[in-house]
Structures are given as structure tokens and as C-alpha cells.
Amino acid sequence: MTNAKIVVLGSINMDLIARCHALPLAGQTLTATGFQQIRGGKGANQAVAASLVGSSVRMLGRVGEDGLAASLIDELKQDGVHCSQVLPTPNVSSGLAMITVSDDAENQIVVIPGANAHVDAATVDQFADVISMGDVLLLQLEIPLPAVLRAKEIAQAAGVRVILDPAPIPATPLPADLFEVDLICPNETEALEIVGRHAKQNATAAQPQEITAWQNVAEQLHQQGSRNVIITLGKQGVLFFDGNQHQHLSAQPVDAIDTTCAGDAFAGALAAKWAATNDLIKAIEFGNQIAALSTTATGLTALRTE
């Protein structure tokens, strides 16, 4: 997929990962069974995933002026990501994420934005030529919304496909035009928040009435402006709606140990395959496979060994 040009605008963090037998309850202190410090951030993770499956990837964003910045950029470069548009930000720390992972592969995450909060529309204007030369622009919501909207505007004016992974959902209302993209790919919780429903549901192929409920959510997302809708359902796979028909793809069976980066692996791999083949169904199937593979090791380690 070396001819596919992916541009990722988003967050770059250092992840501090504690492994525990279970996730802590409110007010509870637990003793961790292990600790890792690895590069993360939804933007950086998706850029790495797209690069590791064979695309040419440019990362757009900011790091701080601290001891973490050089390490964050060096690690991105080691994974083949072009970092000329990762800008230093004076007097600000780099982004951080504190992550707890349980023995059953569930996680809790607290993000400290740092330099990511300084990616604004003026910053994005500096990247206009790079965005316009891409095949796909991949966006998330760990940087300020004005930057996301400006990047989307530049890409669409240049005829570049836009994929939005709407995570994390901010507390403030989201503008309607944010969802006018080629593809939106929320998880269950994010999809329900966007359409204004807060009661989480389980949907499986064995329970068609619940799959129908998720189809209704997908249709509502489509009505908000996205040409194509994917809802990732964790262990239950992926639901896809293109405005005409629904498809449900089962999850790949694996022995998962860490689901932290599964959504990012899915988005990055999907973007790469879609840009390379122009076949969205194949891209979804590929993203599903890569997402499953990613859960078999911490972070994106499993993708580096393939």
C-alpha cells in the first residue's frame, strides 16, 4: 500500500500504562502488576497503524518543549511516519495519558492534552498544502474542534476523503457540519452520545432485534451528514451503513490482552486500505483484522511483528 498517502491530524501523547488485576473503583487504591511508558495519542496511534500496514503517512500536530518531545518524534519516525509537520510548542508540556489496563483487557484512560490543546486553525493553515496532497485525511477529537473543522474544510476543498473518528466526545455540543464527512467511525458509546441516546445496548448477530437497534443508530448518524457510517462494537464486531444497506462483520477471534489501541488500529488500517484499493468493504474487513491483531499485545506492538 505504499502509494496510499494518509494525512493524520491529531494528538501525540506519552502513555503511562499500569496493569492491574481489575480496574479501580472510585476512591480505591490498587497495586499495579506492571508498568510501561510508550508513545500514544489517538492521532499518533492511527498514523502508526496506517504506516505499519504500508501507507505513506504524514503526522500533523504539536509536542511540547520538554524531555518527552524528542522521544515522541523519534518513535514516530521509527515506525515510518513523516514528522516534518509536528511542531514544537514553547512553554507547554507534551501530551500525556494515564492508562489502567485490567487482566480482562478493559481499560480506563485520563488524558492531559498539553501541546495538543494548542493545535488551532492557524496551525492547520500551515499544513494546507500537505492536507491537499493526501488521499485520505484522518481526524479525531483530541485536539480543539476549530482545528478539526479547518482541516476538514481544506481537505474537502481539495477533493481529499475525510474520515472522522469522533473520540473522545467533548462535553460541549458538537457543530452539525463536523459530521459531513466521507466516513464516521464511532464506537458504541460515542455513537449513542452523538445521536443523543445514553443507554448502552449490546448488539449481536444472535439477537437481531438488537442489531436492528444499532442499525437505527447508524441511520441517524448518516442523516447527520456522513456518507458512510461504521459503528465498532468491540467483541461483537463492526456495523456498516452506506446509506442504502447495512452489513454486520463479526469480530476476529483472538486472545485479547489489551484493547487500548484497537479502535486506532482499526481506523488507521481502514484508511490505508481504502486509499489503496478504493474498496470500502475490503477496507473495513482489513481494519477489523488489524484491530483484532492489535489486542494480542500492548499498544501497537503486534503490528510491528507482522
Side-chain angles (χ1 to χ4, degrees):
M1 284 189 277
T2 54
N3 292 327
K5 299 187 293 295
I6 309 300
V7 179
V8 183
L9 173 70
S11 56
I12 305 169
N13 293 333
M14 186 63 79
D15 288 353
L16 308 179
I17 305 172
R19 299 198 69 90
C20 296
H21 292 307
L23 298 181
L25 303 175
Q28 183 181 25
T29 299
L30 297 179
T31 299
T33 58
F35 173 78
Q36 286 180 290
Q37 178 176 301
I38 60 175
R39 184 212 56 248
K42 293 193 70 64
N45 285 340
Q46 292 178 14
V48 167
S51 177
L52 291 176
V53 299
S55 287
S56 174
V57 181
R58 292 193 174 274
M59 181 74 216
L60 316 180
R62 287 186 175 275
V63 292
E65 282 193 339
D66 56 16
L68 298 176
S71 175
L72 289 168
I73 292 174
D74 286 347
E75 289 185 32
L76 282 167
K77 289 180 177 178
Q78 288 171 18
D79 283 323
V81 178
H82 299 280
C83 295
S84 299
Q85 285 76 39
V86 176
L87 305 180
T89 310
N91 304 314
V92 176
S93 69
S94 296
L96 285 169
M98 296 181 291
I99 303 170
T100 304
V101 181
S102 68
D103 287 348
D104 59 357
E106 296 300 323
N107 64 75
Q108 290 178 338
I109 305 174
V110 176
V111 175
I112 303 164
N116 298 309
H118 293 259
V119 181
D120 55 13
T123 301
V124 173
D125 282 334
Q126 299 179 55
F127 305 147
D129 289 345
V130 174
I131 293 171
S132 299
M133 291 187 294
D135 294 315
V136 171
L137 172 66
L138 191 48
L139 299 169
Q140 322 80 33
L141 301 180
E142 281 188 335
I143 59 172
L145 277 173
V148 174
L149 292 168
R150 179 59 181 144
K152 183 174 81 75
E153 179 183 19
I154 292 169
Q156 291 174 334
V160 176
R161 282 178 179 157
V162 179
I163 298 175
L164 173 65
D165 178 359
I169 300 292
T172 55
L174 294 170
D177 59 342
L178 175 66
F179 305 112
E180 295 171 359
V181 293
D182 296 283
L183 172 65
I184 190 169
C185 54
N187 64 21
E188 299 159 287
T189 302
E190 294 150 3
L192 292 173
E193 287 191 42
I194 291 170
V195 302
R197 295 166 58 185
H198 303 289
K200 186 175 180 180
Q201 306 168 58
N202 287 321
T204 68
Q207 297 172 307
Q209 74 278 10
E210 295 189 3
I211 278 292
T212 301
W214 283 116
Q215 290 173 350
N216 291 336
V217 174
E219 290 169 8
Q220 290 180 64
L221 288 169
H222 183 266
Q223 291 167 6
Q224 293 192 31
S226 181
R227 292 184 180 88
N228 299 281
V229 176
I230 294 170
I231 303 176
T232 57
L233 302 172
K235 296 177 182 178
Q236 312 307 330
V238 174
L239 181 69
F240 169 57
F241 180 59
D242 64 1
N244 294 307
Q245 61 181 358
H246 296 273
Q247 291 195 45
H248 177 232
L249 289 74
S250 299
Q252 300 291 313
V254 294
D255 293 324
I257 67 169
D258 182 6
T259 61
T260 306
C261 290
D264 295 332
F266 176 84
L270 179 147
K273 193 73 168 181
W274 196 18
T277 66
N278 203 35
D279 188 323
L280 185 50
I281 295 298
K282 286 184 179 179
I284 295 169
E285 293 172 345
F286 183 67
N288 210 21
Q289 294 168 2
I290 295 300
L293 175 63
S294 75
T295 68
T296 63
T298 301
L300 296 172
T301 302
L303 276 62
R304 298 186 181 97
T305 58
E306 285 296 298

